[in-house]
Amino acid sequence: MSPHESPEVTSQWSTVRPTPSGIDPRGPRFSAGVTAVLLTVVLLLGDSSAALLLLAVVGVLFLIGVVRGPAGSVTGIVFRRWVLSHLPPTQEREDPRPPRFAQAVGLTIVGAGVALALLGVGSAVPVAASLALVASFLNAAFGFCLGCEMYLLGKRLTSRA
């Protein structure tokens, strides 16, 4: 039994297996895919106020993900309501803390890009969008979450201290 699963409960009538704790790992990958599409549009909009506005929207999406966690984010809700029913069931679960930290990293990068753009730094929007796009594409396409890896590295380093 993995640390995220509860033991089976058996009665005389049936065996009930509780839903494993954690989140479906396909949810954060779906969210990363949506984010990658939005960031690609930001880059395609070029040096415009629309690009800055869309980057700010991505920042708000990241903020909601940080505050509410991956399952409570806008894309997390979309995944559960409209996508999950079209996928085969899985018992695979993951700790929601690394994806939440990854959302915070994305928020930091995108937030810095928005703030710098508002201060007049012309290249801030495409640079921030490009950095966040690389990370979201790696997660969406290959399941490699840079922010999650940063979280796990931080946990390893702080557990040794």
Side-chain angles (χ1 to χ4, degrees):
M1 177 170 55
S2 80
H4 296 291
E5 291 182 281
S6 302
E8 290 183 357
V9 177
T10 306
S11 74
Q12 66 186 32
W13 296 282
S14 67
T15 299
V16 177
R17 184 170 190 134
T19 303
S21 62
I23 59 172
D24 185 327
R26 299 172 297 183
R29 286 187 74 177
F30 170 79
S31 295
V34 171
T35 302
V37 169
L38 292 174
L39 292 168
T40 299
V41 173
V42 168
L43 292 173
L44 292 173
L45 290 171
D47 186 22
S48 68
S49 57
L52 174 58
L53 179 62
L54 184 54
L55 188 64
V57 168
V58 172
V60 169
L61 294 175
F62 279 139
L63 178 63
I64 294 168
V66 170
V67 171
R68 299 184 67 194
S73 69
V74 173
T75 52
I77 293 168
V78 168
F79 174 77
R80 276 194 330 279
R81 288 191 182 162
W82 293 297
V83 177
L84 188 59
S85 63
H86 300 287
L87 299 175
T90 182
Q91 290 296 314
E92 185 180 355
R93 294 292 179 261
E94 72 179 14
D95 183 348
R97 292 174 295 182
R100 186 179 221 160
F101 181 82
Q103 292 281 306
V105 172
L107 174 61
T108 301
I109 291 168
V110 167
V114 170
L116 289 170
L118 291 173
L119 293 172
V121 178
S123 62
V125 169
V127 168
S130 296
L131 291 171
L133 176 59
V134 168
S136 61
F137 176 78
L138 286 172
N139 192 356
F142 304 109
F144 182 77
C145 175
L146 285 172
C148 300
E149 293 300 321
M150 290 171 59
Y151 175 86
L152 296 172
L153 178 62
K155 283 294 186 187
R156 283 186 216 113
L157 292 174
T158 58
S159 69
R160 292 183 186 170

